[in-house]
Amino acid sequence: MAGRLEGKVAIITGGVSGMGLTAAELYVKEGAKVVVADIQVEKGLAMEKRLGGAMRFARCDIREEEDWKAAVAMAVDAFGGLDIMYHNAAAVGDNTPLDEISVTGWDDTQAMLVRASMLAIKHAIPPMRKRGGGSIILTSSASCMALGGSGPYAYTIGKGAVIHMGRYAALQLGKDLIRVNVIIPGAYPTSIWSGHVGGDANMGDAMDLDLSRFARMQALPVAGDTKNIAEAAVYLGSDASAWVTGVALPVDGGLSLFRNSYASAEGQLGAVADAANALKND
């Protein structure tokens, strides 16, 4: 029986860790050829070796247009085209409060979140038009859906912009049979959380997060798993969602329905801080 993505070519950004890694592995399992675009070169090359001919690694800083061009060219040259652009990569960025954030910090964060999403769409369009259509999947965050103070200022605003960008692009690209949808993740144990305490991806990979505090904030009191996001990304990339576009899909256990006050946000970030401190003390 053929996989759900048999014959499709995808680019997945941020695909060497966290949600992107789980999605890339599932995409390959479901029959897709995948270009993983990420800045973590050592991990990417090791992943390419492990997954064999179904996957290629492209070193990509998502803020840089030339890197996007190179990743798309790799997909076309290695696998013959592009059917799915799953833009998952991001970082917390500048997490200083409203009255302290600098112009540089604000601009750098928006480049990581908003500019990168614009570039994902822009450079997916030409090869998808040649294929007669395709699926673009962007990534937002529950932090911009139910405001409870748990998301950093610049990050929350940027992720909100991504939702509107996806809806606008879906309206404009429908005539080309290019679908654009947005996944809204909730709390998952991925490396991005280290940014809340000034850490990097390596710290995030090593952190052992207790997500019980996160789960208590959700309608479904169960900790999230990156497999939940990967399954949503497979659905939105597959022909099963051929009539789905312009959707912002929460995959968050109901976190975006209601976020319990700022006290709960402090508890959430406390879980991250506790994990980081434990790691530093080891």
Side-chain angles (χ1 to χ4, degrees), residues 187 193-194 196-197 207-217 263-279:
W193 287 102
S194 65
H196 288 288
V197 290
M207 286 168 63
D208 182 17
L209 281 178
D210 174 9
L211 292 183
S212 61
R213 298 193 213 185
F214 296 70
R216 289 197 295 269
M217 297 174 66
S264 292
E266 290 177 333
Q268 185 181 141
L269 297 183
V272 179
D274 290 347
N277 289 332
L279 182 63

Side-chain angles (χ1 to χ4, degrees), residues 23-256:
E25 292 174 337
L26 186 57
Y27 265 50
V28 170
K29 182 179 179 181
E30 293 291 342
K33 304 296 185 184
V34 179
V35 171
V36 168
D38 204 298
I39 59 172
Q40 300 180 72
V41 175
E42 185 175 343
K43 292 179 182 178
L45 293 176
M47 186 177 173
E48 182 178 85
K49 184 176 180 180
R50 176 168 60 85
L51 294 179
M55 180 247 164
R56 295 285 186 275
F57 173 73
R59 196 275 177 192
C60 179
D61 181 333
I62 59 173
R63 298 167 295 185
E64 301 298 331
E65 186 162 22
E66 292 305 312
D67 287 0
W68 279 102
K69 290 180 182 178
V72 171
M74 180 179 288
V76 172
D77 294 343
F79 300 129
L82 182 65
D83 302 291
I84 304 165
M85 173 67 81
Y86 175 24
H87 177 40
N88 160 78
V92 172
D94 192 321
N95 60 6
T96 53
L98 287 73
D99 57 340
E100 297 177 11
I101 192 167
S102 67
V103 170
T104 299
W106 177 269
D107 288 348
D108 287 348
T109 304
Q110 302 315 317
M112 181 70 69
L113 303 176
V114 183
R115 182 204 296 171
S117 296
M118 175 273 291
L119 291 172
I121 296 169
K122 175 182 177 180
H123 292 286
I125 293 171
M128 286 185 179
R129 279 178 172 157
K130 289 183 179 179
R131 301 280 261 196
S135 173
I136 299 172
I137 308 166
L138 305 179
T139 305
S140 183
S141 170
S143 68
C144 70
M145 296 294 290
L147 300 177
S150 60
Y153 178 41
Y155 178 84
T156 298
I157 300 304
K159 284 297 191 180
V162 169
I163 293 175
H164 292 287
M165 184 182 296
R167 289 171 57 82
Y168 185 94
L171 188 60
Q172 295 296 316
L173 297 174
K175 64 183 182 301
D176 298 303
L177 300 183
I178 297 173
R179 301 180 294 108
V180 188
N181 294 290
V182 183
I183 293 176
I184 304 173
Y188 294 86
T190 64
S191 60
I192 194 172
W193 287 102
S194 65
H196 288 288
V197 290
D200 59 12
N202 289 329
M203 172 186 279
D205 290 343
M207 286 168 63
D208 182 17
L209 281 178
D210 174 9
L211 292 183
S212 61
R213 298 193 213 185
F214 296 70
R216 289 197 295 269
M217 297 174 66
Q218 302 161 183
L220 299 176
V222 180
D225 190 294
T226 55
K227 293 179 182 178
N228 306 137
I229 297 294
E231 286 288 348
V234 167
Y235 168 69
L236 291 175
S238 75
D239 293 339
S241 61
W243 219 48
V244 177
T245 194
V247 168
L249 175 63
V251 186
D252 64 357
L255 179 63
S256 59

